[in-house]
């Protein structure tokens, strides 16, 4: 028997145990709703010492996931839960409203059409529809790609906040092909062009033989929250076709944005 057990002290839980117990607390408070629960009650439900329950609650409280509405009162789910739920709901809404539009764009263009969002310094593709010419094309869904070397990434970076842009320009602009923009000044100039014409493109900048065009999607608040883009082999999606493809994508982006409740002017 360990010294801690002999002295009646509870052994420190592992990190995994702590996460499991923290999750259990959140579910317990969700079940209790307005009634909430106190430390003693939660400790009993979890089968742990009060001090352990308090440490877990304190960590959740620091993250705004749990809050105590009155001094020494019961605990309830915090405002952080609402923010997380709102973000999840927003992404689900974005995917739901974008799918039929992306499907139509893929049919019109005959190429693969993707919906992408910014994700901690990169781009994550959250939706993909295949065109008639790309039935056996690559599946980009769930894949993360660089901001500076993709059309969707350039769109998201062009309308990102100043701190995000500065961080991207100061970062390591990896060269994926000989055509990748790796100079900060050149990338900054490219972002200015993107904002001026309203869409972005890449010509073999991520992969040799792969071209892409993308347009911005706005939330109801006017922020650019996603990019809708088309990609295809450079022999078919040629540089000369970019303006025509962009016109289709801009129309599709406007439709998605209107479905999300946006009808105003573009925000920078």
């Amino acid at each position: 028997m360990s010294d801690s057990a002999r002295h009646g002290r509870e052994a420190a839980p592992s990190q995994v145990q702590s996460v499991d117990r923290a999750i259990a607390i959140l579910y317990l408070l969700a079940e209790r709703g307005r009634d909430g629960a106190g430390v003693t009650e939660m400790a009993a439900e979890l089968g742990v010492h009060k001090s352990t329950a308090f440490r877990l609650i304190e960590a959740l409280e620091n993250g705004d996931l749990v809050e105590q509405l009155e001094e020494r009162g019961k605990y309830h789910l915090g405002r952080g839960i609402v923010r997380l739920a709102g973000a999840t709901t927003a992404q689900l809404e974005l995917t739901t409203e974008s799918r039929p539009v992306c499907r139509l764009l893929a049919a019109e263009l005959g190429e693969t059409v993707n919906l992408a969002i910014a994700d901690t310094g990169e781009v994550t593709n959250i939706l993909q529809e295949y065109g008639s010419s790309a039935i056996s094309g690559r599946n980009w869904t769930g894949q993360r790609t660089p901001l500076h070397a993709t059309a969707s990434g350039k769109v998201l970076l062009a309308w990102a906040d100043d701190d995000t842009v500065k961080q991207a320009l100061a970062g390591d602009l990896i060269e994926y092909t000989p055509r990748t923009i790796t100079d900060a000044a050149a990338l900054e100039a490219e972002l200015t062009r993107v904002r001026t014409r309203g869409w972005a493109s890449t010509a073999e900048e991520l992969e040799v033989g792969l071209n892409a065009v993308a347009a911005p999607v706005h939330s109801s608040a006017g922020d650019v929250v996603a990019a809708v883009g088309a990609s295809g082999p450079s022999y078919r999606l040629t540089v000369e076709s970019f303006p025509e493809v962009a016109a289709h994508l801009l129309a599709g982006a406007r439709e998605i944005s209107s479905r999300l409740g946006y009808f105003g002017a573009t925000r920078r």
Side-chain angles (χ1 to χ4, degrees), residues 4-264:
S4 61
R6 281 197 298 269
H7 290 87
R9 293 194 302 270
E10 183 180 12
S14 69
Q15 291 182 341
V16 174
Q17 282 179 319
S18 295
V19 172
D20 288 342
R21 288 167 176 171
I23 292 171
I25 288 174
L26 294 175
Y27 274 104
L28 174 62
L29 294 179
E31 290 174 1
R32 297 300 167 86
R34 294 182 179 180
D35 294 334
V39 177
T40 302
E41 186 178 359
M42 285 186 273
E45 288 281 348
L46 295 175
V48 299
H49 193 274
K50 278 181 62 176
S51 61
T52 299
F54 183 78
R55 285 196 300 271
L56 293 169
I57 293 167
E58 188 175 40
L60 292 170
E61 193 172 17
N62 289 337
D64 288 332
L65 300 178
V66 164
E67 62 183 4
Q68 196 174 29
L69 300 181
E70 299 177 4
E71 187 177 356
R72 297 185 180 181
K74 293 185 176 182
Y75 289 89
H76 301 77
L77 291 179
R79 289 166 290 181
I81 291 291
V82 176
R83 288 196 294 272
L84 292 174
T88 302
T89 301
Q91 186 166 320
L92 289 173
E93 181 186 17
L94 176 60
T95 303
T96 300
E97 297 298 343
S98 300
R99 190 178 301 280
V101 180
C102 289
R103 188 172 295 136
L104 179 60
L105 285 170
E108 290 175 351
L109 299 171
E111 302 292 355
T112 301
V113 172
N114 291 87
L115 186 75
I117 60 173
D119 185 4
T120 58
E122 291 184 292
V123 177
T124 295
N125 295 282
I126 62 173
L127 174 64
Q128 177 165 299
E129 295 291 339
Y130 293 104
S132 58
S133 301
I135 299 302
S136 59
R138 179 174 174 181
N139 185 3
W140 294 91
T141 307
Q143 293 196 36
R144 291 163 64 87
T145 52
L147 288 167
H148 71 287
T150 59
S152 293
K154 289 181 184 180
V155 165
L156 294 168
L157 193 55
W159 280 281
D161 61 85
D162 291 338
D163 288 341
T164 299
V165 175
K166 288 177 181 177
Q167 186 174 3
L169 294 174
D172 185 15
L173 301 176
I174 298 172
E175 180 179 309
Y176 294 92
T177 77
R179 295 192 176 186
T180 306
I181 298 175
T182 57
D183 177 73
L187 179 57
E188 189 170 19
E190 174 74 354
L191 296 179
T192 298
R193 285 192 291 272
V194 170
R195 286 190 289 268
T196 299
R197 69 188 180 191
W199 53 274
S201 64
T202 51
E204 301 186 86
E205 294 172 41
L206 178 64
E207 294 182 7
V208 173
L210 179 68
N211 288 353
V213 182
V217 173
H218 297 80
S219 69
S220 59
D223 302 309
V224 172
V225 293
V228 58
S231 60
S234 56
Y235 67 83
R236 196 168 61 223
L237 185 59
T238 62
V239 173
E240 292 74 22
S241 72
F242 284 178
E244 182 182 354
V245 172
H248 285 271
L249 292 171
L250 285 167
R254 285 193 294 271
E255 173 62 21
I256 296 171
S257 300
S258 68
R259 286 168 174 251
L260 297 175
Y262 174 73
F263 302 97

